[in-house]
Amino acid sequence: MPNLNFDPDKDIPDLSGKTIFITGGTNGLGAESALHLAKHNPAHIYISGRNAHSAAKIISQIQSIAPETRATLLECDLASLTSVQAAASRFQSQEDSLDILMCNAGIMAQPKSLTTDGYELQFGTNHLGHALLIKKLLPVLERKALQGGDPRIIILSSQGFLLHPREGIVFADLKTVQDFCVVGPWRRYGQSKLANLLYARELARRYPGILSVAIHPGVVSTGLVGNTSMMEKAAVYASNFGKMLKPVEGAYNQCWAATVARSKISSGMYYEPVGKLMESRLDDVARDEELARKLWEWTDEELREY
């Protein structure tokens, strides 16, 4: 079992005055994170997602926990860059700084498909959609740093990054469904989670005033598993028997990373539950600084028109 020596009620500090943006905050780990953080009096929690009904339920719960905390839905589909751009613009029209950007939303082991913009579905959703959101919100995060704040970008990666293709990221095929002949859904997932990890590392290098980390939440019984095929579900549950976390526990690591004292966390690193620095788990591909730079440059070019 992961080390869960963390009590969000006691260990999360006072968040008065802080503004928080959580992608995928309408359910699963994002919703649980919003509820954990709401107990500590942030000024405003923004959640993004596609389900307005689920969002209304979470917002109601936030307001019952913390009546003084504002909660707002920003409708956003990470598989559509136009939708991501619109959500970022709506945020910037309401806020001039940001304390915590939690890139929580994601999909796992999905069948072959493309995003609205023609990218492999898992890579386009898990990495590229979040990369555009980060790009658009970097000015408000940097403003917080200049004001003497402690802005943070928390990116959910996964131990599943180890399932990446041999070369790490197959750039030439990212605008195809990437029909890998063996365990295709998991290789595509691993590639996207590797990208999350590498992008956090490169963000830390390029923007030292912003804490950027990649975290693994643990293996959690959320819709992420529930939305896979019966065979994929069976593989996940069988390989993690006795180790599955509840969603309320799965949110611990990202809440820890978002709020722990700055002296206890290092930018650009990878953490497993809860707060365990796990650089030793990284393979050579995940440590490849040239690959991280190449991913940054590829991403920057793809998002140039945004």
Side-chain angles (χ1 to χ4, degrees):
M1 283 290 290
N3 171 24
L4 297 182
N5 186 24
F6 178 75
D7 182 343
D9 290 343
K10 297 178 180 177
D11 295 334
I12 295 175
D14 180 57
L15 301 175
S16 294
K18 292 189 180 291
T19 300
I20 300 166
F21 188 150
I22 303 172
T23 68
T26 60
N27 54 49
L29 299 183
E32 295 293 348
S33 295
L35 296 175
H36 285 315
L37 297 171
K39 295 177 182 179
H40 302 273
N41 307 308
H44 203 146
I45 297 177
Y46 289 84
I47 58 175
S48 75
R50 294 174 292 171
N51 189 324
H53 178 69
S54 294
K57 290 169 58 178
I58 297 303
I59 288 172
S60 177
Q61 288 180 263
I62 291 171
Q63 292 173 335
S64 68
I65 291 170
E68 301 302 315
T69 296
R70 296 179 63 196
T72 301
L73 169 66
L74 295 174
E75 291 191 24
C76 180
D77 178 359
L78 285 165
S80 165
L81 295 177
T82 299
S83 176
V84 174
Q85 183 179 44
S89 295
R90 288 194 295 274
F91 178 87
Q92 288 175 306
S93 72
Q94 299 180 55
E95 303 286 348
D96 62 5
S97 68
L98 177 61
D99 294 278
I100 298 167
L101 174 58
M102 189 177 286
C103 297
N104 162 86
I107 55 176
M108 182 175 74
Q110 295 297 295
K112 294 175 294 184
S113 188
L114 300 174
T115 68
T116 301
D117 305 285
Y119 298 94
E120 190 283 310
L121 181 62
Q122 294 187 78
F123 197 87
T125 302
N126 294 347
H127 168 64
L128 200 58
H130 276 125
L132 178 56
L133 184 64
I134 291 168
K135 174 184 175 179
K136 303 300 287 186
L137 297 185
L138 275 171
V140 290
L141 287 157
E142 289 189 288
R143 188 171 297 125
K144 176 57 68 171
L146 290 172
Q147 293 169 348
D150 179 23
R152 302 186 182 196
I153 302 173
I154 312 304
I155 302 179
L156 267 69
S157 181
S158 168
Q159 274 185 9
F161 81 84
L162 291 166
L163 300 170
H164 63 72
R166 179 179 55 81
E167 57 269 67
I169 297 173
V170 189
F171 290 99
D173 293 340
L174 289 175
K175 290 185 178 179
T176 74
V177 297
Q178 291 192 317
D179 188 12
F180 297 123
C181 58
V182 179
V183 292
W186 289 109
R187 290 185 73 190
R188 293 189 292 271
Y189 176 68
Q191 176 180 244
S192 72
K193 294 289 102 178
L194 173 66
N196 290 151
L197 195 158
L198 292 172
Y199 207 68
R201 189 180 298 278
E202 193 67 5
L203 270 167
R205 189 178 74 83
R206 292 172 183 264
Y207 295 91
I210 301 169
L211 175 78
S212 300
V213 296
I215 69 103
H216 171 51
V219 182
V220 189
S221 54
T222 67
L224 201 63
V225 175
N227 290 332
T228 59
S229 70
M230 290 300 293
M231 185 175 296
E232 308 293 357
K233 282 192 196 71
V236 171
Y237 283 106
S239 60
N240 291 281
F241 183 73
K243 297 184 289 185
M244 295 286 286
L245 301 179
K246 300 173 184 176
V248 68
E249 298 169 325
Y252 285 3
N253 205 26
Q254 58 211 68
C255 288
W256 169 85
T259 63
V260 70
R262 188 65 180 78
S263 60
K264 296 182 179 179
I265 189 169
S266 297
S267 198
M269 298 294 104
Y270 167 68
Y271 291 89
E272 294 189 359
V274 171
K276 294 173 66 178
L277 180 61
M278 295 299 292
E279 294 295 293
S280 62
R281 194 182 292 276
L282 304 186
D283 61 8
D284 289 343
V285 174
R287 298 174 188 273
D288 189 337
E289 294 182 4
E290 181 56 35
L291 180 59
R293 281 192 290 269
K294 184 176 181 181
L295 172 64
W296 183 276
E297 291 165 0
W298 179 91
T299 302
D300 196 48
E301 179 62 25
E302 295 302 310
L303 299 178
R304 184 160 49 88
E305 66 181 271
Y306 297 94

